């Protein structure tokens, strides 16, 4: 007998959860549409060359690749992944969007405000709450170089989170340019910025002492490391210019936080967080992440990636995106039972297989549907009492027996 | 510069089409829910062993397979696809549903009425209107051995098609058992049924003469072939028992057609079609397909597959499914312009980047959103006349300028 388990690191989604997912997706879409965003869709497969040529950071190590077919597949010679495969599954929605924009720019509005809702694939080591196939909900503004794009994305994403029942979350904001400038000012070489950031990214896990240790063990000067950690400990929105000479980045960061604070109506926080790094190599400006409650992971994240579209396009096009981690949202809602599983207007109509003409049963079902009910037609079993008990599963408000009951009975 | 085209045989979906797709998907879901069906979701990847062990017919030749990762991948020895790959992309939604049902049966309603909407993948030779990644909308009833399941699926699918604007379509019905019995009665060996069916499947393309030719060239007796083709030419719902001794199959076929005809209210046709074959090897009983207008392809299809779930389960479970080909529906709707692209309540609000505080612009946008408008905020350009012309793209009812217009202006 063949196993009936889904493939490693993936899962089946059952009806109860699916109802919640569909409802949330509709809510998100509604808010995004109301703000002038338009939904698009790209294939889940992309050319392997395109995926590997991106600055996807760690995600490139977690690619799923698709075997070439027919003549293209030559197994006789020494084979690398690129010999064997010509496509891969997308690991995010940002790279496909950049390709999409270049491919379709001529017919798109400018600036183009995109919605993408779809699954992405990463061969992560399976662990609780981490899946190899998971849904993301992204909005992006392409073609607006101003910080209005960041403000609009934060405002719209926050509205979507609030509509889904989240309150009191925190948008953390940082700036890639600022991060680089601070690291350089502490005395590090420009080439070291990447590796220093990888260590800084661990601040919330291993603390200042741990990061100091790691930087020293990487061979960096004690003096530079201490200077950087002193900055990490003391930098804030008011004293930024003591630590860094980048008035443009400081102004962008300050203005965005100020504007979003005004828009927040105190339903959520927006703060500067110098320890926010975000893994992707493609970010160029402001970066942001949403944290919520006691959960040790972000529920949304994004940033500006002004140079990516230029790879597929003659001209570089400014772009910013904000992505909601749909699976994380769902797992929190399920855990906090925020889903509001209200009693639906749904009923079961039982019928007797021996006596009832099924087309009459369907017609009677339609009459109840016209009154606004969801109606599930089910054949009666001999042990009807036992059967009724089995259908009293919380999904139905009541039942009736065709040809006998004129009103809905409660279980 | 890297190509910005989507991978071969796939395509990008633009905002205008996406709006129609989302609306149709909602309509289909609404009707399916109203009939007691529940949506589920399975991963797009399945174990290769499971896919290859299915009776997927021609689709197995069109599998996309995913390269093993890390230690599991051994390129030193002679490699077959099964050495290289351990997963594949699903080619339909029926096989994953069977696996899903076995995996989750304990917590599912009985009978279980499933909705699945999702993409499937087949490495078809790219041609107009055929894609390598395409969406299907399936409903299945698992656990009902009676023809009520077929009747309910046909009724519900027909209601969904009507709601999407289709009228006057035809549900063609045949019975796998009947097909086998007729072929046997014409004198063919039981082992030949499969290959004879492959030829019969071409009736609508190459006609009776072509099929006769093909069967003869396959080496079948002229007498048997003539007997079969005489049946093909003359068999109908009234004279079935002249051609075949299978009262059970005849009764099922007749009853289903009669019941669905009653339910159709003459908005669509339901007919017996002995030339209907359907490729999949897993069908065991009634099979059906929906044809519409002059289009040479079916827009929906399905059948009973009582033995499939038994492969993953200790006991065999009866099952029937009906699948709408979403891409075909969309392409017909776009061609016939049935999409009803009505003027939406959507506006553009322009603002001046120099003078206007963006958070005030957002707040004013919200005020219009509260009145029910979709509002797209766009920065004014110097050449405002030209900009307005560019936004008069049919997607917006009008526009206004922040701080200047109190009412919506038409383009």
């Amino acid at each position: 007998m063949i196993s009936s388990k889904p493939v490693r690191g993936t899962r089946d989604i059952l009806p109860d959860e699916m109802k919640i997912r569909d409802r949330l997706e509709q809510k998100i879409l509604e808010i995004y549409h109301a703000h002038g965003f338009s939904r698009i869709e790209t294939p889940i497969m992309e050319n392997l060359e395109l995926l590997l040529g991106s600055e996807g950071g760690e995600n490139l190590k977690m690619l799923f690749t698709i075997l070439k077919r027919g003549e293209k597949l030559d197994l006789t010679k020494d084979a690398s992944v690129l010999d064997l495969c010509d496509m891969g599954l997308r690991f995010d929605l940002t790279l496909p969007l950049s390709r999409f924009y270049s491919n379709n720019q001529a017919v798109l509005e400018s600036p183009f405000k995109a919605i993408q809702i779809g699954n992405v694939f990463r061969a992560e080591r399976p662990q609780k709450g981490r899946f190899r196939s998971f849904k993301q909900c992204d909005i992006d503004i392409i073609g607006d170089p101003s910080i209005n794009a960041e403000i609009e994305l934060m405002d719209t994403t926050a509205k979507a989170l609030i509509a889904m029942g989240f309150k009191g979350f925190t948008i953390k904001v940082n700036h890639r340019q600022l991060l680089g400038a601070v690291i350089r000012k502490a005395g590090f070489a420009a080439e070291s910025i990447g590796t220093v950031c990888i260590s800084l990214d661990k601040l919330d896990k291993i603390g200042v002492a741990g990061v100091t240790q790691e930087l020293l063990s990487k061979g960096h000067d004690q003096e530079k490391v201490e200077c950087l950690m002193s900055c990490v400990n003391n930098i804030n929105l008011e004293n930024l210019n003591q630590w860094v000479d980048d008035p443009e980045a400081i102004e962008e960061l300050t203005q965005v936080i100020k504007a979003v604070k005004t828009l927040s109506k105190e339903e959520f926080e927006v703060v500067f967080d110098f320890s926010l790094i975000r893994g992707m190599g493609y970010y160029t400006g402001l970066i942001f992440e949403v944290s919520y409650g006691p959960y040790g992971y972000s529920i949304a994240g994004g940033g500006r990636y002004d140079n990516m579209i230029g790879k597929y396009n003659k001209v570089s096009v400014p772009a910013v995106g904000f992505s909601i981690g749909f699976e994380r949202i769902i797992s929190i809602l399920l855990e906090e039972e925020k889903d509001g599983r209200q009693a639906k207007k749904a009923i079961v109509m039982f019928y007797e297989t021996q006596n009832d003409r099924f087309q009459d049963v369907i017609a009677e079902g339609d009459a109840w549907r016209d009154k606004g009910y969801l109606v599930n037609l089910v054949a009666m079993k001999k042990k009807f009492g036992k059967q009724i008990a089995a259908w009293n599963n919380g999904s139905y408000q009541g039942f009736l027996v065709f040809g006998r009951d004129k009103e809905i009975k409660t279980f």
Side-chain angles (χ1 to χ4, degrees), chain A:
Chain A
M1 213 158 54
I2 301 172
S3 162
S4 67
K5 293 268 169 285
V7 298
R8 189 159 178 261
T10 69
R11 67 201 191 93
D12 290 331
I13 302 172
L14 292 161
D16 279 353
E17 181 180 331
M18 205 63 211
K19 271 174 214 145
I20 301 169
R21 295 173 75 95
D22 276 344
R23 196 167 60 233
L24 287 190
E25 194 177 313
Q26 281 315 306
K27 243 178 212 169
I28 294 175
L29 263 180
E30 210 173 280
I31 287 175
Y32 288 174
H33 279 309
H35 287 75
F37 290 79
S38 305
R39 189 170 183 187
I40 60 139
E41 206 173 272
T42 65
I44 60 152
M45 305 114 105
E46 291 285 356
N47 283 312
L48 193 51
E49 193 194 10
L50 180 104
L51 294 167
L52 292 175
S54 71
E55 295 166 277
E58 289 294 301
N59 292 331
L60 293 184
K61 296 179 190 159
M62 298 191 277
L63 276 186
F64 286 110
T65 58
I66 296 174
L67 200 67
K68 288 183 186 172
R69 294 176 45 80
E71 291 161 16
K72 287 187 188 164
L73 182 61
D74 179 4
L75 290 175
T76 56
K77 57 176 184 185
D78 277 353
S80 71
V81 169
L82 270 166
D83 290 323
L84 294 171
C85 299
D86 48 7
M87 296 192 287
L89 301 186
R90 63 186 180 196
F91 59 81
D92 75 358
L93 300 175
T94 308
L95 181 63
L97 175 65
S98 299
R99 184 197 55 67
F100 173 95
Y101 185 79
S102 303
N103 192 32
N104 302 289
Q105 187 175 1
V107 295
L108 299 174
E109 293 176 351
S110 170
F112 180 55
K113 299 180 183 174
I115 307 168
Q116 289 184 101
I117 302 182
N119 276 54
V120 302
F121 305 87
R122 296 178 194 169
E124 307 235 27
R125 188 174 291 275
Q127 51 180 295
K128 192 180 172 291
R130 283 231 166 167
F131 299 103
R132 293 183 153 194
S133 165
F134 56 97
K135 186 173 263 194
Q136 292 196 322
C137 303
D138 285 23
I139 40 175
D140 292 78
I141 299 179
I142 301 182
D144 186 348
S146 85
I147 54 167
N148 289 347
E150 277 90 343
I151 297 170
E152 192 169 5
L153 287 182
M154 289 187 201
D155 173 67
T156 309
T157 302
K159 283 172 179 159
L161 291 172
I162 291 168
M164 287 186 280
F166 289 87
K167 260 184 193 171
F169 52 84
T170 302
I171 307 183
K172 300 176 188 173
V173 189
N174 200 1
H175 199 302
R176 270 285 165 91
Q177 259 169 252
L178 207 79
L179 206 50
V182 164
I183 294 169
R184 272 196 312 274
K185 202 179 176 187
F188 292 87
E191 312 85 71
S192 308
I193 294 177
T195 128
V196 172
C197 279
I198 290 173
S199 297
L200 280 180
D201 203 13
K202 300 179 184 162
L203 263 173
D204 53 347
K205 284 193 187 105
I206 59 176
V208 170
V211 173
T212 304
Q213 198 64 41
E214 184 171 308
L215 285 171
L216 291 173
S217 75
K218 276 180 179 173
H220 295 294
D221 274 9
Q222 178 143 13
E223 199 190 340
K224 293 175 189 168
V225 173
E226 276 173 8
C227 174
L228 179 65
M229 296 323 284
S230 152
C231 165
V232 167
N233 276 328
N234 296 294
I235 196 169
N236 62 46
L237 210 51
E238 283 69 44
N239 69 14
L240 272 172
N241 52 12
Q242 289 174 31
W243 301 97
V244 64
D245 303 316
D246 189 336
E248 193 196 51
I250 294 177
E251 176 72 8
E252 286 185 357
L253 186 68
T254 315
Q255 287 306 317
V256 164
I257 292 178
K258 196 176 143 196
V260 177
K261 211 166 246 167
T262 312
L263 291 163
S264 76
K265 296 168 194 153
E266 294 184 5
E267 291 187 292
F268 61 91
E269 299 279 330
V270 50
V271 301
F272 166 57
D273 182 346
F274 185 70
S275 74
L276 176 70
I277 309 290
R278 296 195 58 73
M280 310 296 202
Y282 51 64
Y283 289 125
T284 55
L286 284 157
I287 47 178
F288 27 91
E289 225 172 71
V290 179
S291 67
Y292 171 73
Y295 303 95
Y297 46 74
S298 64
I299 56 172
R304 182 171 281 277
Y305 52 101
D306 279 351
N307 298 331
M308 183 149 38
I309 295 171
K311 285 188 161 185
Y312 321 104
N313 222 348
K314 275 166 210 146
V315 278
S316 182
V317 182
V320 206
F322 208 159
S323 172
I324 293 181
F326 196 73
E327 308 300 334
R328 292 174 172 185
I329 295 286
I330 292 286
S331 84
I332 294 176
L333 290 178
L334 289 174
E335 197 167 321
E336 302 193 347
E337 293 183 346
K338 279 201 178 139
D339 57 300
R341 206 173 302 185
Q342 73 275 54
K344 284 136 287 173
K345 247 184 133 182
I347 55 172
V348 184
M349 181 185 289
F350 294 100
Y351 63 93
E352 292 183 67
T353 38
Q354 307 92 307
N355 304 329
D356 302 329
R357 261 192 9 145
F358 192 54
Q359 46 266 55
D360 299 336
V361 179
I362 289 185
E364 174 77 6
D366 285 344
W368 283 97
R369 286 181 193 111
D370 289 342
K371 292 181 199 160
Y373 287 90
L374 312 187
V375 186
N376 195 353
L377 307 177
V378 176
M380 277 175 95
K381 288 187 183 165
K382 276 183 191 156
K383 296 186 175 172
F384 188 49
K386 214 175 147 191
Q387 188 184 17
I388 286 187
W391 282 91
N392 184 11
N393 60 12
S395 294
Y396 300 92
Q397 203 180 298
F399 69 95
L400 37 80
V401 175
F402 173 76
R404 197 187 76 188
D405 299 330
K406 293 283 156 226
E407 277 170 32
I408 296 163
K409 293 182 157 182
T410 51
F411 281 103

